Amino acid sequence: MEPPLHPTELPRHLAVIMDGNGRWAQARGLTRSQGHTAGTTAARAFVARCRELGIGHVTLYAFSRENWGRPKDEVESLFELMRRFLDKELDTLLAQDIRLNVLGDMDALPLLTRKALAHTVARTAKGRAMVLNLALNYSGRDEIVRAARRMVQDGLAPAQITEQALAERLYTAGQPDPDLIIRTSGELRLSNYLLFQCAYSELYFTPTLWPDFDAAELDKALADYATRKRRFGKTAEQIGPTP
Ligand code: FPP
């Protein structure tokens, strides 16, 4: 497939809410876990395509803090899937020079998943071509509260509490904010995702269910993003002509 866009038109950071695995499975008479398996296949292809296009930061919302409320067997199968994904993908991540990073509270995750994550994060630490963030047991509000707590622990005076100081204490410290957030399956909300970082993100919603979100769907989203006039609160005149 043709890379559709000039690199300057691509998001530097692309974040996704991979929604609709359950409905995809239900429509086929499959179990929800089978839907997540199909979602993992889609995630694998998605990451490979982003890497090929040269997108430097990709974030996948794999498990929210609120997802603990799902049936126990679904939660267990999700973590098992993630563990297998990490095992299977390590060589590919290394070959593609991708660094894995986790956004979220790892302490509450099952031991084997935690171990697989720590191993993959350590092994891929030198990856330079792309950062792949997995949001796991993630909550945007909780992330902000933790950053605030750390500013207090670090002894910052009120005048030192700045947006920059807070951003440096988020899970995404050192990374650009997401330029584009994609949500699949027709839901029109952010569900506690990257709440501090999304201030000026472009949002793209599609009815396509996550397991069906293929390279053509990604190209469509990126082409749409390339038409957006990003003004960051300024007037069109202040921004000047777009290239
Ligand atoms: C939402 O679909 C999806 C999730 C809660 C989990 C996303 C996880 C994966 C795609 C698999 C693991 C990913 C990696 C990268 C290893 P849903 O279950 O809410 O679908 P529904 O709204 O149709 O029920």
Side-chain angles (χ1 to χ4, degrees):
M1 190 166 305
E2 285 297 303
L5 302 165
H6 189 270
T8 58
E9 295 173 311
L10 287 168
R12 280 204 300 162
H13 184 169
L14 171 56
V16 200
I17 303 176
M18 309 179 288
D19 202 1
N21 297 341
R23 276 162 283 171
W24 184 92
Q26 195 179 21
R28 287 162 180 76
L30 302 172
T31 63
R32 295 183 58 82
S33 296
Q34 287 172 307
H36 294 313
T37 304
T40 307
T41 305
R44 191 176 288 124
F46 179 83
V47 171
R49 177 76 179 141
C50 289
R51 167 70 180 81
E52 193 177 85
L53 290 170
I55 297 174
H57 302 259
V58 169
T59 301
L60 304 177
Y61 206 173
F63 193 85
S64 74
R65 198 182 53 175
E66 290 69 31
N67 286 150
W68 289 110
R70 294 187 172 215
K72 193 163 168 280
D73 59 339
E74 182 180 346
V75 172
E76 280 172 4
S77 82
L78 263 171
F79 283 117
E80 175 57 20
L81 251 181
M82 281 171 213
R83 205 177 57 70
R84 288 216 307 267
F85 172 85
L86 293 168
D87 278 357
K88 269 175 80 174
E89 292 310 296
L90 179 59
D91 288 345
T92 311
L93 294 175
L94 289 170
Q96 299 192 342
D97 202 23
I98 298 175
R99 172 162 76 86
L100 185 83
N101 184 48
V102 181
L103 315 184
D105 179 9
M106 285 226 276
D107 293 344
L109 301 179
L111 182 64
L112 287 180
T113 309
R114 225 159 59 210
K115 278 188 170 171
L117 283 166
H119 179 69
T120 313
V121 167
R123 286 290 310 277
T124 63
K126 292 200 169 75
R128 289 290 171 268
M130 179 204 269
V131 180
L132 173 60
N133 297 301
L134 273 192
L136 274 174
N137 192 24
Y138 176 82
S139 149
R141 285 186 174 179
D142 182 60
E143 181 185 29
I144 295 169
V145 169
R146 280 164 182 264
R149 202 177 286 142
R150 280 191 51 204
M151 290 194 291
V152 174
Q153 283 165 347
D154 292 345
L156 267 60
Q160 294 173 304
I161 296 182
T162 59
E163 291 183 14
Q164 168 86 12
L166 194 140
E168 282 165 7
R169 289 164 177 81
L170 297 173
Y171 296 120
T172 49
Q175 300 191 51
D177 287 339
D179 300 296
L180 175 63
I181 299 179
I182 296 175
R183 183 170 192 154
T184 57
S185 93
E187 309 294 345
L188 307 179
R189 56 180 172 270
L190 285 175
S191 300
N192 209 1
Y193 193 40
L194 304 171
L195 292 186
F196 188 85
Q197 300 90 331
C198 76
Y200 288 101
S201 303
E202 296 294 328
L203 306 178
Y204 179 87
F205 298 103
T206 169
T208 302
L209 304 175
W210 176 251
D212 293 327
F213 193 88
D214 58 12
E217 292 283 343
L218 174 59
D219 286 353
K220 215 158 75 181
L222 293 173
D224 187 287
Y225 169 77
T227 68
R228 308 279 179 101
K229 305 262 183 292
R230 304 191 73 199
R231 295 210 288 266
F232 300 96
K234 301 197 166 82
T235 66
E237 290 70 29
Q238 286 171 313
I239 296 290
T242 42

